[in-house]
Amino acid sequence: MTVAHPRFATRAVHAARDRETAASRATPIYLTAGFEFDDFDHAADHFRTGAGFGYTRTGNPTVRAVERQLAALESGADAVLVASGQAAVATALLTVAAAGDHIVSSTHIYEGTRGLLLDNLARLDIETTFIDDIADPDAWRSAIRPNTRALFAESIANARNDVLDIRAVSTVGEEFAIPLIVDNTLATPAILRPLEHGAAIVVHSASKFLAGHGSVLGGVIVDDGRFDAEGAGHNAPHLVLPGRGDAPSVFARHGGRARIAYARESVAPRFGASPSPFNAFLIGQGVETLGLRVERQSRSALQIARWLEEHPEVESVDYVGLPSHPDHATANRYLEGGFGSVFTFTLRGGLPAARRFVEQVQVFTHMTHLGDVRSLVLHPGTTSHAQRTEQEREGLGVRAGTLRLSVGIEDLDDLLSDLAQVLEGVRETVA
Ligand SMILES: *Cc1c(COP(=O)(O)O)cnc(C)c1O
């Protein structure tokens, strides 16, 4: 500082400015709104090229570290971290679609995403056609129109545990130069990496398995970096045509990474769902143990599903790890090292049994969340799927006695004892 004797108010805000440099092993949390420029040209260069860090909404070293980590785990070229899973889905869709465009989506998707498509994007004149039989490539193909800009589905869907045949659906997309966007929240890259099977973009709610601790919200968009201007430019004029003031196109500046560059430069920072660097740090910490958690959770989930399938109070179990599940063969083709740990099962005793169940569990926690280290339970019929009609719920595998479990990392025997004591109570209630 050049002022010889700074006074109290000046010292209060500037005395800590001289920093030690240290090779921190953990990613430092750059909890700052902005970054000091080295000099005049540095500022001008940053604004001209976007290189380096200027303001946290457009880039932050802690956030960047987590983006690199997640891109690497999903076998992607690059990633953009945002404030929630909803923001990730919205950002991905607004990166590929504009007013007058059309999306084809699986109907077996997270209710918040369905609402985004039906209410919000519809108001922006982006229309969606929903596919029920997602295993049938012709169902996807026949829904595609000249203005279709994306196919959207979840790799493992709630509540029926359908597993997407990513190769088949992405192949349909390629026929029309349309990217397949996969929400990989329930599977996680620990057991499935959709970009390795032909998907173009992966999105996640990082609030779930990626963080794992249930302490923060976050979302991520990962792109394969294989945007092909020649083959797909007609479906993405915003990427291949010159920008405002005749600026070079996004493709001219970023090549195959044009899509994710557009998401980073134009969609995420403008709509503004920026992640806190503090939350980014916590997500990065969680991701380090993702493989261990998912392995344990998948193993326990399979044991629990097998146990439930044998229980007299249980009518059915929709877990793709069981040979009885219609998508079991597809799951064997796509999932490596486990079948995930979020699934539903249905009690014979209907609503009274389900009510009793959620009110009696002790090790399981009754809440609307999943992918946590803690085991969780929710009654979809009166919560996540309450806005669907009864007929829709039936088709989606949600009945009055259906419960959703998200299996955590607790000791398996304690989880089974909890289920056994609750189901004993259920039997007495219903009898
Ligand atoms: C939770 C969830 C979302 C939304 O994520 P948030 O982080 O809650 O905004 C999207 N898709 C799936 C599959 C989810 O489970």
Side-chain angles (χ1 to χ4, degrees):
M1 185 161 307
T2 50
V3 176
H5 301 289
R7 294 172 177 79
F8 185 85
T10 307
R11 294 202 304 275
V13 291
H14 289 287
R17 192 165 170 182
D18 293 325
R19 292 172 294 264
E20 308 292 336
T21 55
S24 168
R25 177 59 193 86
T27 303
I29 304 172
Y30 285 88
L31 199 57
T32 179
F35 302 85
E36 189 174 351
F37 294 115
D38 297 339
D39 55 29
F40 190 89
D41 290 335
H42 182 204
D45 284 348
H46 173 73
F47 274 78
R48 190 168 46 79
T49 65
F53 299 104
Y55 189 62
T56 280
R57 181 159 45 68
T58 56
N60 175 287
T62 312
V63 173
R64 195 73 195 109
V66 180
E67 290 172 341
R68 277 200 296 269
Q69 186 185 19
L70 290 171
L73 291 189
E74 279 289 4
S75 301
D78 199 3
V80 173
L81 195 75
V82 289
S84 69
Q86 280 286 151
V89 176
T91 300
L93 293 173
L94 291 173
T95 292
V96 297
D101 289 343
H102 174 250
I103 292 164
V104 181
S105 172
S106 160
T107 195
H108 305 278
I109 55 172
Y110 182 71
E111 196 56 35
T113 305
R114 212 174 72 100
L116 174 74
L117 292 164
L118 283 173
D119 300 333
N120 310 87
L121 295 189
R123 275 170 53 82
L124 298 178
D125 194 23
I126 299 170
E127 202 190 336
T128 304
T129 301
F130 289 94
I131 304 290
D132 182 28
D133 187 4
I134 57 172
D136 177 11
D138 283 333
W140 291 91
R141 191 178 285 106
S142 60
I144 290 172
R145 305 176 186 168
N147 60 341
T148 303
R149 297 293 177 256
L151 309 182
F152 182 89
E154 296 180 4
S155 50
I156 301 183
N158 176 44
R160 290 188 326 197
N161 237 225
D162 316 62
V163 171
L164 186 68
D165 187 342
I166 299 168
R167 181 61 66 189
V169 178
S170 66
T171 301
V172 173
E174 276 159 24
E175 288 169 31
F176 300 87
I178 302 168
L180 169 63
I181 304 176
V182 174
D183 182 331
N184 199 32
T185 300
L186 264 62
T188 85
I191 57 173
L192 172 64
R193 291 168 296 280
L195 302 182
E196 294 176 1
H197 302 281
I201 298 173
V202 162
V203 293
H204 276 276
S205 167
S207 328
K208 313 288 172 54
F209 287 97
L210 297 183
H213 36 63
S215 308
V216 297
L217 301 189
V220 69
I221 304 111
V222 188
D223 189 277
D224 68 357
R226 293 193 294 249
F227 174 73
D228 167 19
E230 212 168 300
H234 62 290
N235 282 337
H238 58 302
L239 302 183
V240 297
L241 297 179
R244 248 190 293 132
D246 244 5
S249 73
V250 186
F251 179 74
R253 289 182 291 116
H254 297 282
R257 298 184 182 204
R259 260 188 323 243
I260 195 76
Y262 185 80
R264 179 185 304 291
E265 289 176 356
S266 198
V267 186
R270 300 261 176 73
F271 286 93
S274 315
S276 159
F278 185 67
N279 288 1
F281 171 82
L282 290 174
I283 291 165
Q285 290 286 291
V287 170
E288 291 180 356
T289 59
L290 178 70
L292 292 172
R293 287 184 279 112
V294 169
E295 188 184 320
R296 165 78 163 242
Q297 287 166 302
S298 293
R299 203 175 340 120
S300 293
L302 180 60
Q303 296 299 327
I304 289 171
R306 284 180 179 149
W307 184 90
L308 286 169
E309 202 175 37
E310 296 299 314
H311 199 285
E313 294 308 318
V314 175
E315 188 172 309
S316 58
V317 181
D318 289 310
Y319 182 58
V320 80
L322 297 175
S324 58
H325 193 285
D327 286 351
H328 185 63
T330 309
N332 274 326
R333 268 169 56 213
Y334 283 99
L335 306 182
E336 259 177 77
F339 296 97
S341 51
V342 178
F343 66 95
T344 58
F345 70 99
T346 300
L347 291 169
R348 290 191 198 284
L351 195 63
R355 174 190 289 273
R356 166 109 192 176
F357 188 99
V358 299
E359 287 177 350
Q360 297 290 311
V361 283
Q362 284 170 18
V363 183
F364 280 80
T365 305
H366 179 205
M367 66 184 287
T368 175
H369 180 48
L370 55 86
D372 201 291
V373 292
R374 280 152 284 266
S375 292
L376 313 173
V377 60
L378 188 71
H379 182 250
T382 50
T383 59
S384 60
H385 290 66
Q387 288 180 29
R388 305 270 193 152
T389 65
E390 181 146 3
Q391 201 184 354
E392 278 180 315
R393 278 200 291 273
E394 186 68 33
L396 295 166
V398 174
R399 280 166 285 161
T402 301
L403 292 163
R404 183 185 78 196
L405 299 183
S406 174
V407 177
I409 62 170
E410 302 96 331
D411 188 280
L412 176 61
D413 288 338
D414 290 339
L415 293 173
L416 289 171
S417 308
D418 197 28
L419 296 174
Q421 71 70 28
V422 175
L423 290 180
E424 183 62 23
V426 164
R427 193 176 59 80
E428 282 160 14
T429 320
V430 177

